[in-house]
Amino acid sequence: MINLTKISHIAFAVRSIDEAVSIFQRLFGATVIYGPFTPSDKQHKFILLSVGGIVVELMEPTDDQGFLARFIAKRGEGFNHIGFDVDDIQSASSALKSEGLQIIRERVDYPGLKYLFVHPKSFFGIELHLEEDWRSYSDLETI
């Protein structure tokens, strides 16, 4: 069994981080807690907001052929994934694989942020993001 410790974040795919941040700030008083940051894959950038005690990740495509651009082209802007913290990402990975769930991105043996994503077709149409509990937003710069 996988021990989920908390919901870490809820993520949205957006065409413009700037526009989305503005809306979240005006409507909900959101504050920026990290970013914007572009991961090493250079396919998107993201920003983390605090919204009513919840971390909201807004992701904007930076590559017209990247995964996020394809997501928005197919489904439009909106909910992308939910993230959960887990005690042990390697155990979680093994448990998911033993249940036959398809993992689409995984980094479980790396210093800093350890995470994996489960394909939505494997999990009720929802992209699931599991990450080992991390303590510093600087860990995000390892992705």
Side-chain angles (χ1 to χ4, degrees), residues 71-84:
F71 176 91
I72 290 174
K74 184 175 180 179
R75 295 179 181 88
E77 293 180 292
F79 177 76
N80 180 263
H81 68 267
I82 187 166
F84 291 95

Side-chain angles (χ1 to χ4, degrees), residues 7-11 48 54-57 81-84 129 131:
I7 294 176
S8 63
H9 66 283
I10 299 169
L48 299 178
I54 299 167
V55 176
V56 172
E57 178 181 10
H81 68 267
I82 187 166
F84 291 95
H129 176 195
E131 57 195 29

Side-chain angles (χ1 to χ4, degrees), residues 71-129:
F71 176 91
I72 290 174
K74 184 175 180 179
R75 295 179 181 88
E77 293 180 292
F79 177 76
N80 180 263
H81 68 267
I82 187 166
F84 291 95
D85 283 349
V86 298
D87 286 340
D88 183 344
I89 195 70
Q90 290 184 329
S91 299
S93 176
S94 295
L96 293 167
K97 289 174 184 175
S98 72
E99 289 291 327
L101 277 70
Q102 180 186 357
I103 295 175
I104 50 178
R105 286 188 301 281
E106 178 175 32
R107 194 169 83 183
V108 298
D109 58 355
Y110 194 84
L113 184 61
K114 298 176 184 181
Y115 64 88
L116 60 81
F117 286 88
V118 176
H119 196 287
K121 289 182 181 175
S122 293
F123 196 74
F124 312 108
I126 298 168
E127 185 170 318
L128 184 62
H129 176 195

